[in-house]
Amino acid sequence: MVFRPHELHPTRSNRDLYGWEMRAHRKRAGDMSLDQLTNVLDGFSKSHLARVERAASMPCARLSQALDAAFGTDGTFGRLYELAKKEKFPGKYRRAMDLEGRASIIEEYTSATVPGLLQTPGLARRSLQTGHPHASAQEIDSMLSARLDRQKRLCSNPAPRCWFILDEAVLRRPVGGSAVMRAQLAALVDDRRSHVTLQVLPFGAGEHAEMGGSLTLYTVPGNPLIAWVEGSHSGVIIEDPEGVAARRESYDLLRAQALSPRDSLAMIRTLMEEC
């Protein structure tokens, strides 16, 4: 099988432009491989450089300085980094994050983990480390900062009306260990924001259309309803009326099958004591 390098799109985002320039300068430097670049740079693995080049990871200031020194580019990568760091999320998630930032109503169902908007720093860090096992500590810190920054949206004025439905599995899986999970459950119980409603979908509800993933509905003023369906490593925006209507029905059924907000908090308190 002939190896085909990952296709880069320099006009898609500043992150992509950074990666495109990185590959272009490797090619100009005698078709330098990533292995060879790893030997030139100090402290950067091949896998890390590959993720940065394909815009899957955020570059950092130290890497930018090292690339400028290696290629003699007189601050080019430093300037690209200043642009790229303004884009906190990879391209495939940026549209969903934009919708989240503009929505007046956010309705979310999750089957595997606590929604990012509600995660404590401890659980968020552990989730990111598990989802990105080869990422450096600096990359994890950058992703954690971006995730926690999203939570400011819930304290904005006006804040969006939020409705979260959590599968029971979300509450029973001890992500990060019992101490981290107990702190997360306590944060859910202690959340007194009147514009945030929380429900638990118990195992007893049985099967449903959204098993194994997550579903979010965004109501953005002046726009039709938009759905975001996400798996463990991918997500898709749904805008066609039939597709959105099907997700609207799914969410409404999940809400009807879930425990009441009061009973949901009671269940979370019980599980918290079991941690």
Side-chain angles (χ1 to χ4, degrees):
M1 180 181 293
V2 178
F3 172 74
R4 299 183 185 278
H6 180 83
E7 185 177 358
L8 301 178
H9 303 275
T11 60
R12 183 164 55 188
S13 72
N14 291 325
R15 278 196 192 193
D16 287 270
L17 177 59
Y18 189 108
W20 187 89
E21 288 286 354
M22 186 172 162
R23 178 178 292 177
H25 279 84
R26 282 200 299 110
K27 300 304 179 184
R28 291 171 193 157
D31 204 19
M32 179 187 292
S33 68
L34 282 173
D35 278 320
Q36 291 171 321
L37 183 58
T38 300
N39 293 330
V40 172
L41 305 179
D42 181 31
F44 297 99
S45 67
K46 177 183 176 181
S47 60
H48 182 183
L49 296 178
R51 290 195 302 274
V52 171
E53 190 170 281
R54 65 175 185 266
S57 286
M58 173 66 74
C60 63
R62 191 166 72 86
L63 174 60
S64 304
Q65 293 167 359
L67 289 172
D68 278 327
F71 295 128
T73 42
D74 191 28
T76 294
F77 285 94
R79 291 186 289 273
L80 288 172
Y81 168 66
E82 290 301 317
L83 294 174
K85 71 179 184 180
K86 298 176 182 178
E87 300 173 341
K88 297 180 179 180
F89 301 98
K92 61 183 178 181
Y93 298 114
R94 198 170 298 125
R95 176 92 191 284
M97 296 302 96
D98 175 66
L99 291 169
E100 181 179 277
R102 295 188 295 120
S104 60
I105 302 174
I106 299 172
E107 300 164 283
E108 183 171 356
Y109 162 75
T110 57
S111 65
T113 189
V114 175
L117 288 172
L118 299 178
Q119 289 181 2
T120 61
L123 186 134
R125 180 179 292 278
R126 187 57 185 149
S127 297
L128 290 167
Q129 290 170 333
T130 303
H132 303 82
H134 304 297
S136 66
Q138 191 168 29
E139 289 177 287
I140 295 296
D141 287 344
S142 177
M143 289 185 280
L144 177 63
S145 176
R147 179 165 297 184
L148 297 181
D149 277 349
R150 288 171 52 200
Q151 298 179 2
K152 296 176 182 177
R153 181 74 178 97
L154 297 188
C155 301
S156 60
N157 187 18
R161 178 71 175 92
C162 296
W163 205 297
F164 297 102
I165 302 174
L166 280 59
D167 195 278
E168 184 175 341
V170 172
L171 307 175
R172 291 190 176 276
R173 181 173 292 108
V175 177
S178 59
V180 169
M181 198 63 201
R182 180 181 173 83
Q184 176 65 74
L185 296 178
L188 294 177
V189 169
D190 293 340
D191 193 336
R192 305 299 183 193
R193 289 171 289 200
S194 61
H195 60 280
V196 175
T197 298
L198 185 67
Q199 287 184 270
V200 175
L201 184 69
F203 290 146
E207 69 277 5
H208 57 83
E210 302 301 329
M211 289 188 297
S214 71
L215 166 63
T216 307
L217 301 174
Y218 295 113
T219 300
V220 179
N223 293 270
L225 186 67
I226 298 175
W228 164 250
V229 178
E230 188 176 5
S232 59
H233 296 288
S234 63
V236 60
I237 294 285
I238 299 174
E239 298 181 84
D240 68 280
E242 287 189 6
V244 173
R247 269 65 183 195
R248 170 79 276 172
E249 181 179 11
S250 290
Y251 195 88
D252 289 344
L253 288 172
L254 290 171
R255 182 150 46 200
Q257 291 175 291
L259 299 176
S260 70
R262 178 179 297 178
D263 289 344
S264 295
L265 290 178
M267 176 183 234
I268 295 172
R269 289 190 185 95
T270 298
L271 294 175
M272 184 173 64
E273 294 304 318
E274 296 175 1
C275 286

